Amino acid sequence: RFDRRQELTAATVVNSWSLDDLAKTIWEYGEERYSRKIAQAIVALRRRKSIVGTLELVDVIAGAVPGFYRRGGIHFATRTFQALRIAVNDELGNVRAALPTLLDVLAPGGRIAVISFHSLEDRIAKEFFKGAEGEERVRIITKKPVVASEDEARKNPRSRSAKLRVAEKR
């Protein structure tokens, strides 16, 4: 969690949320195709004992997904961990709350730039900019998001999922 003062932790989510809530979270926030199987494996293990560490959770996920998936391009547990992080930190809620506040404090002619690393974050920024443009509060500078070139993604793999959107306040 980003804010250690908040009560919700990934351990709480993994060890206490219902099968349906886990599967939904992993599906919606992680866009994980094996979300139901992963959630079922988590619930099955925690009936015997609490899941206490990330390596233990990785083992549970490994047992829930097919072999070819474990050998895929990105690590097979990435999407599940991403979903847990997004849920625990309420990242999408924070993006939704931050954008109008940022626009309110921005001077006319100032620019707001949003770099997103997840399609759900990007969708929020895109819809916010479109709505603000419709209200004539901004002019969208980047009609399509700016993404890393193949060369940049090769040199900096973390940039491969980044999308930049920019708007100028009217």
Side-chain angles (χ1 to χ4, degrees):
R1 32 186 186 165
F2 291 138
D3 182 355
R4 294 212 174 257
R5 294 171 297 177
Q6 76 180 28
E7 292 183 27
L8 185 62
T9 66
T12 302
V13 172
V14 168
N15 287 301
S16 67
W17 282 16
S18 71
L19 169 65
D20 287 340
D21 287 345
L22 275 172
K24 181 180 177 188
T25 297
I26 296 167
W27 172 256
E28 289 182 3
Y29 295 162
E31 299 176 324
E32 171 57 68
R33 72 174 90 171
Y34 297 106
S35 59
R36 172 82 34 194
K37 288 182 184 266
I38 292 168
Q40 289 169 335
I42 289 169
V43 170
L45 177 60
R46 76 176 194 214
R47 284 188 187 123
R48 297 190 311 265
K49 64 184 239 31
S50 290
I51 299 170
V52 294
T54 57
L55 295 178
E56 191 171 12
L57 183 55
V58 168
D59 288 343
V60 172
I61 297 166
V65 299
F68 78 88
Y69 195 68
R70 289 191 301 269
R71 296 180 294 276
I74 67 164
H75 192 277
F76 59 87
T78 297
R79 290 182 177 95
T80 300
F81 278 84
Q82 172 181 284
L84 293 171
R85 188 198 75 229
I86 290 170
V88 166
N89 295 310
D90 188 23
E91 292 178 20
L92 302 180
N94 283 315
V95 171
R96 280 188 197 94
L99 290 172
T101 302
L102 292 170
L103 190 56
D104 287 344
V105 299
L106 191 63
R111 291 186 175 188
I112 181 172
V114 177
I115 300 175
S116 60
F117 292 91
H118 188 280
S119 62
L120 298 174
E121 295 167 337
D122 183 57
R123 187 174 306 127
I124 292 166
K126 176 183 175 181
E127 289 173 2
F128 175 77
F129 283 173
K130 281 190 175 191
E133 185 177 49
E135 296 169 359
E136 297 186 1
R137 295 178 66 203
V138 303
R139 179 176 64 91
I140 296 176
I141 304 297
T142 54
K143 297 297 179 191
K144 300 249 184 211
V146 177
V147 296
S149 67
E150 286 182 32
D151 187 48
E152 170 68 16
R154 203 172 22 263
K155 291 176 185 173
N156 178 10
R158 291 180 179 181
S159 71
R160 76 179 186 272
S161 60
K163 292 183 179 180
L164 171 68
R165 293 185 182 272
V166 181
E168 182 177 275
K169 186 170 181 177
R170 294 182 186 215

